[in-house]
Amino acid sequence: MVRRVVITGLGLVSPLGNGVEISWKRLLEGKSGAGPITAFDTTDYACTVACEVPTVDGRGGGGPDIEGSFDPSAVLSNKERRKVDDFILYAIAAADEALNDANWHPESDEDQERTGTLIGSGIGGLGIIADTALELRDKGPKRISPFFIPSSLINLASGQVSIRHGLKGPNHSVVTACATGAHAIGDAARLIMFGDADVMVAGGAESAIVPVGIAGFIACRALCTAFNDAPEKASRPYDKDRDGFVMGEGAGIVVLEEYEHAKARGAKIYAEVLGYGLTGDAYHITAPSETGDGGYRAMVAAAKNGNIDPATIDYVNSHGTSTMADGIELKAIEKFLGERAATGTVSSTKSAIGHLLGGAGAVEAIFCTLAIRDQIAPPTINLDNPDVDTPIDLVPHKAKPMKIKRVLSNSFGFGGTNAALILGAVDE
Amino acid sequence: MSEVLERVRKIVIDHLDADPDKVTEKASFIDDLEADSLDIVELVMAFEEEFDIEIPDDSAEHILTVGDAVAYIDGKLKS
């Protein structure tokens, strides 16, 4: 008997706000989290827009009196704050919310040892690494902080969350670029299925809106550069004027739990992890294969894994980064859905929150979970003139109330790494 | 209160987020001010920068309280 895995807690720090409900509400309202980059001076940068987390200090359009603004001091003391890069800070905040939402606060040895952590990031403490390199050059090796390494290591998001909550089960991490968040949730679900843990805190976090991060993705020709004067219009998946992705930041964390374990303690159950597929393109370091073959095979693998008929997928949250690859993925989704494509529903929530890289797959899995809960598909904003020829409803501009029982979430990363998750309402 | 003590207290309060009332000369970084070994490495670096001195590791090992730090720095500044 295969152990079933369900989602019992959600936590978000997103460019639309701090917390699950405010982010979801603003997403459904068609709001954009994009704005001019406030984190650093963008003179000479070809791209000057990003989706920053609104913060009480004014970053990303936030402020002390603005609803949904993220307050780092509510999460960590100044002393602890200096020991973590922002991606870890976001992961800690989102994990706090998810564990509270799940009402899971393990205290006994057994409960702590059966609860694990699997949080990934695409690039981890990039900003701190860059700043420390400059300090090394300017001041020499003796001036390097003892917290440099533990503040920037990717698996320290899992480490910090486990220390904070006493989670002594599997302590793991994932690094697969923009597929990280989806891989983290899929792999964590398998740890529960295989009996390594009963509960897993899983997801992804990113904080790459730093000079080397933006300059690096500009150099890859991956970022949007045509909408510096209209940031809210910059992320526009499937639209004919799209010209690159908009960088986002934040974290998405879920509490995954073995079904009987969740039922026995009367936990609120959002959805079930029904299928998970992973593939590689073996094609190019940054571009997807032209046929979308890798993404297609990931979707097929997820369906096969869960013994699911693709025609039963009601909603797809696409990878849809607002690049030329959008059309390639859409063709792969059409092929996957088969005859269901004619009545299919696909949207890209990156239109509103940008691309959270290693956080993206986890944040999008949370949006998929909420789509099942509220029976509504979030919109693809800024989709004024689709340049894709498809029968699929891309949910332009406005959220779409509809029957949603099963959802698919795609995440693809540099290096040709692909993950697909299928979530569904729980059948008793 | 000596000038060195005042400057040391300010660094300790800032780096450890410590309650100023607890940062007395007798206060132990680990036992009274909730520092761990990495916090102390960082504190010693801050002392070096503030007073423009070098504190070798074998000396730093013996700096366990606020008073130890003040005494060591006083000695360095006078030599």
Side-chain angles (χ1 to χ4, degrees):
Chain A
M1 177 76 189
V2 175
R3 282 156 59 93
R4 295 168 67 184
V5 179
V6 293
I7 298 170
T8 56
L10 307 174
L12 264 184
V13 177
S14 91
L16 288 172
N18 177 36
V20 169
E21 296 305 332
I22 191 144
S23 297
W24 179 237
K25 175 172 169 278
R26 288 175 174 166
L27 182 73
L28 294 181
E29 287 169 353
K31 298 254 167 56
S32 166
I37 291 173
T38 59
F40 60 92
D41 176 8
T42 55
T43 307
D44 293 337
Y45 286 74
C47 167
T48 64
V49 301
C51 292
E52 294 174 316
V53 170
T55 305
V56 289
D57 66 3
R59 181 188 178 97
D65 301 321
I66 297 175
E67 192 196 1
S69 295
F70 179 67
D71 180 5
S73 69
V75 182
L76 292 177
S77 69
N78 288 337
K79 176 188 165 193
E80 297 305 317
R81 174 79 189 79
R82 285 203 312 273
K83 300 177 184 175
V84 299
D85 188 88
D86 282 349
F87 80 98
I88 297 176
L89 174 70
Y90 297 147
I92 291 172
D96 283 357
E97 186 186 17
L99 283 161
N100 283 333
D101 186 36
N103 193 24
W104 181 243
H105 306 285
E107 285 176 5
S108 70
D109 286 347
E110 191 194 347
D111 285 349
Q112 292 189 337
E113 287 166 13
R114 297 295 296 166
T115 305
T117 316
L118 205 171
I119 301 168
S121 178
I123 14 191
L126 188 60
I128 286 183
I129 293 170
D131 290 346
T132 305
L134 294 177
E135 205 154 305
L136 178 69
R137 186 191 63 189
D138 296 341
K139 296 181 178 173
K142 287 185 180 170
R143 308 279 1 131
I144 301 306
S145 164
F147 300 113
F148 161 51
I149 297 293
S151 67
S152 55
L153 288 182
I154 284 175
N155 72 298
L156 259 284
S158 284
Q160 290 278 5
V161 167
S162 71
I163 293 164
R164 190 173 171 93
H165 297 283
L167 314 181
K168 298 179 181 173
N171 197 279
H172 206 347
S173 192
V174 171
V175 182
T176 49
C178 307
T180 297
H183 277 137
I185 291 173
D187 289 355
R190 291 205 173 160
L191 289 177
I192 295 174
M193 285 173 193
F194 273 71
D196 298 277
D198 294 326
V199 182
M200 289 294 296
V201 178
E206 204 70 73
S207 57
I209 305 176
V210 296
V212 287
I214 297 294
F217 279 101
I218 288 171
C220 293
R221 301 295 184 269
L223 286 182
C224 167
T225 57
F227 288 86
N228 289 333
D229 296 329
E232 296 190 352
K233 301 280 175 203
S235 187
R236 42 196 317 115
Y238 310 113
D239 187 83
K240 77 174 175 51
D241 292 326
R242 72 191 187 278
D243 80 319
F245 80 80
V246 175
M247 182 95 81
E249 63 175 355
I253 304 284
V254 299
V255 174
L256 299 175
E257 192 163 346
E258 193 273 324
Y259 178 52
E260 297 298 336
H261 188 276
K263 264 206 320 192
R265 70 180 185 92
K268 163 182 61 186
I269 295 174
Y270 284 101
E272 180 168 2
V273 180
L274 295 175
Y276 171 45
L278 320 76
T279 63
D281 282 355
Y283 175 73
H284 187 266
I285 52 174
T286 60
S289 67
E290 284 163 25
T291 60
D293 160 69
Y296 171 72
R297 285 184 294 107
M299 293 181 249
V300 170
K304 189 176 171 213
N305 169 240
N307 196 21
I308 286 161
D309 176 359
T312 64
I313 303 289
D314 301 303
Y315 165 68
V316 180
N317 188 298
S318 67
H319 187 58
T321 53
S322 188
T323 62
M324 287 309 133
D326 295 355
I328 296 173
E329 181 195 9
L330 198 60
K331 287 295 159 204
I333 292 172
E334 281 180 17
K335 187 174 163 193
F336 171 70
L337 291 178
E339 58 191 34
R340 181 70 194 270
T343 56
T345 301
V346 177
S347 70
S348 169
T349 46
K350 288 189 179 77
S351 57
I353 61 167
H355 190 352
L356 273 72
L357 312 180
V363 171
E364 288 153 22
I366 290 172
F367 290 155
C368 284
T369 303
L370 295 168
I372 294 170
R373 182 191 72 177
D374 293 347
Q375 298 289 291
I376 189 166
T380 306
I381 64 169
N382 295 321
L383 181 49
D384 297 329
N385 299 295
D387 86 333
V388 285
D389 178 25
T390 181
I392 287 175
D393 181 355
L394 297 171
V395 201
H397 305 300
K398 279 200 160 63
K400 176 184 174 186
M402 58 181 279
K403 181 184 147 293
I404 301 179
K405 196 167 176 226
R406 285 182 178 168
V407 300
L408 165 74
S409 182
N410 281 339
S411 296
F412 311 142
F414 277 6
T417 174
N418 312 295
L421 282 172
I422 297 176
L423 310 178
V426 176
D427 290 320
E428 295 300 332
Chain B
M1 204 181 286
S2 80
E3 188 220 332
V4 170
L5 173 60
E6 247 333 277
R7 286 160 72 187
V8 166
R9 283 190 72 236
K10 188 170 179 306
I11 289 169
V12 172
I13 291 165
D14 178 46
H15 278 259
L16 300 182
D17 259 350
D19 175 354
D21 291 341
K22 287 190 179 167
V23 186
T24 61
E25 282 200 73
K26 283 187 187 150
S28 154
F29 297 125
I30 289 176
D31 297 334
D32 301 320
L33 301 176
E34 293 173 28
D36 63 22
S37 58
L38 292 182
D39 290 320
I40 294 177
V41 173
E42 196 189 40
L43 266 185
V44 167
M45 285 172 57
F47 297 149
E48 289 180 323
E49 187 138 317
E50 171 73 15
F51 295 99
D52 196 19
I53 55 175
E54 266 202 48
I55 306 178
D57 282 353
D58 52 357
S59 302
E61 280 171 23
H62 301 292
I63 298 177
L64 304 175
T65 66
V66 174
D68 292 343
V70 173
Y72 182 85
I73 293 163
D74 268 335
K76 271 277 191 178
L77 294 177
K78 280 172 190 154
S79 62

